[in-house]
Amino acid sequence: MTQVEGDDQALVLRLVDGDAAAFDILYRRHNAALIRFCTGIVQHRHLAEEVVQDTWIAVLGRIDLFEGRSSLASWIYTILINKARSRARREGRTVFFDNHASGDSLADAFDGRGHWRQIPELWENLTPERHIEGRSVLQHVEEVIDTLPPAQRAVLILRGQQELDPSEVCALLNIGEGNMRVLLHRARLAVRNALDRLNAAG
């Protein structure tokens, strides 16, 4: 497990030993994002919940086979993607993550390093305490993520929320780094626009 460090390595060792508390930590850390990610592939939340449950069963059953060649999160998402795609095929659907999207607004919204040129005012105030029309900003952001096309949603969750390395994201989704950047930019732009609308409404 030379590539797995710190908390991940400790969690893996505890999981191998059957430590239920370690699984609880891992579950709380990833389950919500796994369901959101999977829903983009299978299209229905109840199906996504079933696939994620199967994924957790597989994770526990195979944890002793984890060799640490990637991050633990990347390994879990690899299992999830395989199961989600199999389920989608059974439901008569196929999802590709390599759609090449483009838009004139990307150049205006982001600099050459992929950062926002001007961070939305609300972005720095994403706390459960801040509410707009009785609902938290975080809830609005999650709803925006749920409406993103599958490829944008996948990249935003893996890169933006799970903080996987770009190379891991590209390998998981079988896309090039340039395409990944475009998808991430478009996803961030959708979130930014939603926050701008909320700010204007507030």
Side-chain angles (χ1 to χ4, degrees):
M1 294 184 196
T2 56
Q3 293 186 19
V4 182
E5 300 178 355
D7 189 38
D8 270 3
Q9 185 177 21
L11 273 177
V12 170
L13 293 174
R14 289 171 62 189
L15 288 167
V16 170
D17 288 338
D19 187 333
F23 175 72
D24 186 60
I25 292 170
L26 197 65
Y27 181 89
R28 292 176 183 274
R29 182 180 297 171
H30 296 295
N31 192 66
L34 288 168
I35 292 173
R36 182 167 286 115
F37 180 97
C38 188
T39 303
I41 301 175
V42 299
Q43 302 298 308
H44 299 288
R45 184 179 175 88
H46 72 278
L47 294 178
E49 290 173 347
E50 291 178 9
V51 173
V52 170
Q53 184 178 20
D54 290 343
T55 298
W56 283 124
I57 292 171
V59 166
L60 290 177
R62 303 177 193 171
I63 192 64
D64 59 325
L65 302 177
F66 177 67
E67 298 178 349
R69 295 177 182 173
S70 64
S71 68
L72 182 57
S74 179
W75 184 71
I76 293 170
Y77 274 91
T78 299
I79 295 172
L80 175 70
I81 289 171
N82 290 334
K83 289 187 175 296
R85 282 179 164 160
S86 295
R87 184 60 179 263
R89 281 194 296 270
R90 289 203 303 271
E91 299 290 328
R93 287 188 298 274
T94 304
V95 176
F96 298 98
F97 295 112
D98 60 350
N99 56 327
H100 294 274
S102 62
D104 296 335
S105 54
L106 289 178
D108 296 332
F110 302 101
D111 62 22
R113 295 171 298 171
H115 300 133
W116 277 330
R117 293 185 187 278
Q118 181 178 357
I119 297 176
E121 182 180 338
L122 287 178
W123 188 256
E124 296 178 348
N125 300 311
L126 291 179
T127 64
E129 291 75 27
R130 176 161 184 172
H131 288 73
I132 295 178
E133 296 179 356
R135 302 164 72 194
S136 73
V137 175
L138 283 174
Q139 287 176 311
H140 285 282
V141 170
E142 289 173 355
E143 288 178 1
V144 174
I145 293 173
D146 289 344
T147 66
L148 292 174
Q152 292 180 30
R153 182 192 308 203
V155 171
L156 183 62
I157 290 172
L158 294 175
R159 185 76 181 109
Q161 293 183 333
Q162 298 297 310
E163 299 182 345
L164 297 187
D165 289 337
S167 60
E168 289 184 305
V169 176
C170 292
L172 278 170
L173 304 181
N174 194 27
I175 59 177
E177 187 169 344
N179 191 20
M180 183 204 68
R181 287 179 180 152
V182 170
L183 292 167
L184 181 59
H185 287 180
R186 289 185 67 82
R188 286 175 171 169
L189 184 61
V191 174
R192 179 207 170 107
N193 288 341
L195 293 176
D196 285 344
R197 287 194 297 271
L198 291 174
N199 190 45

